[in-house]
Amino acid sequence: MDEPIYPYVGASVTWPRSGDAAWRQADHPFHVYHMELCLAEAAAAAAEDEVPVGAVIIHPERGVIASAHNQRERLQDPTAHAEMIALTQAANALKSWRLEQCILYVTLEPCVMCAGAAVNARLGMIVYGADDPKAGACRSLYQIPDDKRLPHRLAVVGGVLAEQCAAVLSEFFRERRRWGRK
């Protein structure tokens, strides 16, 4: 029998609950698996000469409902971050802007725009790979998902495959500098 395309559909996966310490670990196999999917999206972005950031969104019953990578250059759209595209795909898949049971996985800590969109979408959790000390809005510069002034808060797990995620970005920008591109 063939292995299922998505190994978690039909599996008895306990969805994250507040205070569940196992789900807050960056090395949790569930998080690692989905970050690997994000890294594949990041590679697709790099192949298109886009900043290599990849994202997937999962739903507890439907599995992966969105996967995207940065497309700012291709679309000439400053909002075409991987997370924003994935959020739109997920909303379309569920036919609802409320993504309450969903988890956003992304290779780089979301920026202010993307973290704000995640809050507005009522996501259940954000899981990211590399910290972004210049623009990160989940832990590095701001803590938007945990801001008590906002109407919705969500859990954040950072550092999943952080070295791999950071290496993809570092290599991309090293090559751009080597060839004298912005």
Side-chain angles (χ1 to χ4, degrees), residues 117-134:
V119 169
N120 285 327
R122 308 297 196 262
L123 279 173
M125 179 182 266
I126 295 174
V127 179
Y128 69 87
D131 287 326
D132 186 352
K134 293 181 180 178

Side-chain angles (χ1 to χ4, degrees), residues 25-36:
Q25 300 302 315
D27 62 350
H28 192 288
F30 193 75
H31 298 327
V32 170
Y33 174 81
H34 291 95
M35 193 58 66
E36 288 170 345

Side-chain angles (χ1 to χ4, degrees), residues 25-140:
Q25 300 302 315
D27 62 350
H28 192 288
F30 193 75
H31 298 327
V32 170
Y33 174 81
H34 291 95
M35 193 58 66
E36 288 170 345
L37 298 178
C38 292
L39 283 165
E41 283 290 336
E48 295 172 12
D49 207 26
E50 296 277 356
V51 174
V53 175
V56 300
I57 296 178
I58 62 164
H59 184 274
E61 293 156 8
R62 296 179 60 185
V64 176
I65 59 171
S67 60
H69 56 272
N70 276 2
Q71 294 185 41
R72 290 191 325 170
E73 298 299 328
R74 177 178 171 207
L75 300 176
Q76 290 299 295
D77 179 354
T79 69
H81 290 197
E83 302 96 307
M84 299 298 284
I85 295 168
L87 286 167
T88 299
Q89 289 175 357
N92 288 333
L94 296 178
K95 296 181 179 19
S96 174
W97 63 268
R98 293 179 183 270
L99 306 178
E100 294 163 321
Q101 297 181 25
C102 297
I103 299 176
L104 167 66
Y105 286 87
V106 61
T107 55
L108 181 65
E109 181 181 3
C111 69
V112 171
M113 173 182 67
C114 295
V119 169
N120 285 327
R122 308 297 196 262
L123 279 173
M125 179 182 266
I126 295 174
V127 179
Y128 69 87
D131 287 326
D132 186 352
K134 293 181 180 178
C138 291
R139 294 284 180 254
S140 296

